[in-house]
């Protein structure tokens, strides 16, 4: 409707707002197509809507392993957010730049961008944002600290943002196929059961 009616700014707002849907439903190609269409035709004046749309274009491009498009879109989003002093938007854009660097296999740059995003989210007391960045760091294997330290930091963040009202149990594990070893830490979680052939092993707190 917005495209047919020439309502490009309204279309851009709608496409940006649908970013989470494009992502969760895996409509990466369709989402990118609509975002690119409206970004090309809507007024290019810096705005929160344009910054949000650019971020989602970068995020969806990341899912398509398009490092160049992820980098370009998230960099443009960051520049708008800096001009508007939009700190949540800056945190979001830095996270996207970390994803772009990871696709390029530039792991130091990915780590630096993610840490920048994490610092901004912490300053904003945004637990959800912190969790997204931490999961990115952990899943992309940037964080080489001991697993017990990672688990402790996660609970420290939760304790801080909930003013001591909540905590979490967690199991972190790392499997090395080459050595066939499992390293893990259990922080308050019920014992983990591992099946090996016909035997069920009950893991202790660390190993």
């Amino acid at each position: 409707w917005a495209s047919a009616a020439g309502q490009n700014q309204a279309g851009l707002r709608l496409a940006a707002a649908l970013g989470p849907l494009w992502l969760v439903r895996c409509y990466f190609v369709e989402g990118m197509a609509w975002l690119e269409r409206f970004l090309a035709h809507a007024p290019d004046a810096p705005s929160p809507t344009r910054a949000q749309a650019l971020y989602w274009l970068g995020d969806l491009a990341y899912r398509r392993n398009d490092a160049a498009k992820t980098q370009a879109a998230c960099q443009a989003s960051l520049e708008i957010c800096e001009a508007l002093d939009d700190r949540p938007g800056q945190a979001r854009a830095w996270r996207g730049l970390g994803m772009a660097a990871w696709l390029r296999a530039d792991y130091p740059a990915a780590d630096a961008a993610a840490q920048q995003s994490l610092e901004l989210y912490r300053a904003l007391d945004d637990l959800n944002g912190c969790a997204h960045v931490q999961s990115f760091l952990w899943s992309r294997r940037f964080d080489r600290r001991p697993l017990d330290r990672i688990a402790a930091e996660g609970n420290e963040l939760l304790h801080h943002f909930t003013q001591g009202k909540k905590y979490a149990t967690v199991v972190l594990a790392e499997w090395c196929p080459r050595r066939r070893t499992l390293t893990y830490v259990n922080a308050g979680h019920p014992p983990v059961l591992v099946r090996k052939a016909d035997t069920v092993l009950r893991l202790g707190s660390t190993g």
Side-chain angles (χ1 to χ4, degrees), residues 54-138:
L54 284 163
Y55 168 77
W56 279 112
L57 175 60
D59 191 297
L60 297 179
Y62 166 73
R63 315 296 164 172
R64 300 282 296 169
N65 295 317
D66 190 334
K69 186 166 289 185
T70 303
Q71 174 71 30
C74 290
Q75 182 63 45
S77 179
L78 177 62
E79 290 171 2
I80 292 174
C81 291
E82 288 180 338
L84 298 175
D85 195 27
D86 177 358
R87 293 176 65 78
Q90 291 174 42
R92 180 183 60 204
W94 275 113
R95 185 175 70 199
L97 290 172
M99 297 188 298
W102 184 82
L103 287 178
R104 299 194 307 270
D106 187 349
Y107 302 124
D111 186 37
Q115 293 295 343
Q116 181 72 23
S117 175
L118 186 59
E119 288 179 12
L120 285 164
Y121 278 128
R122 282 175 171 165
L124 293 164
D125 277 353
D126 186 335
L127 178 59
N128 187 57
C130 286
H132 274 93
V133 178
Q134 287 284 23
S135 66
F136 173 71
L137 286 166
W138 297 338

Side-chain angles (χ1 to χ4, degrees), residues 183-204:
T183 304
Y184 66 92
V185 60
N186 185 336
H189 201 275
V192 176
L193 302 179
V194 176
R195 183 170 181 174
K196 184 177 182 180
D198 294 328
T199 304
V200 176
L201 304 177
R202 185 186 180 97
L203 301 183

Side-chain angles (χ1 to χ4, degrees), residues 149-160:
R149 181 59 241 164
I150 296 174
E153 181 172 309
N155 257 325
E156 288 167 6
L157 284 171
L158 185 61
H159 183 274
H160 170 73

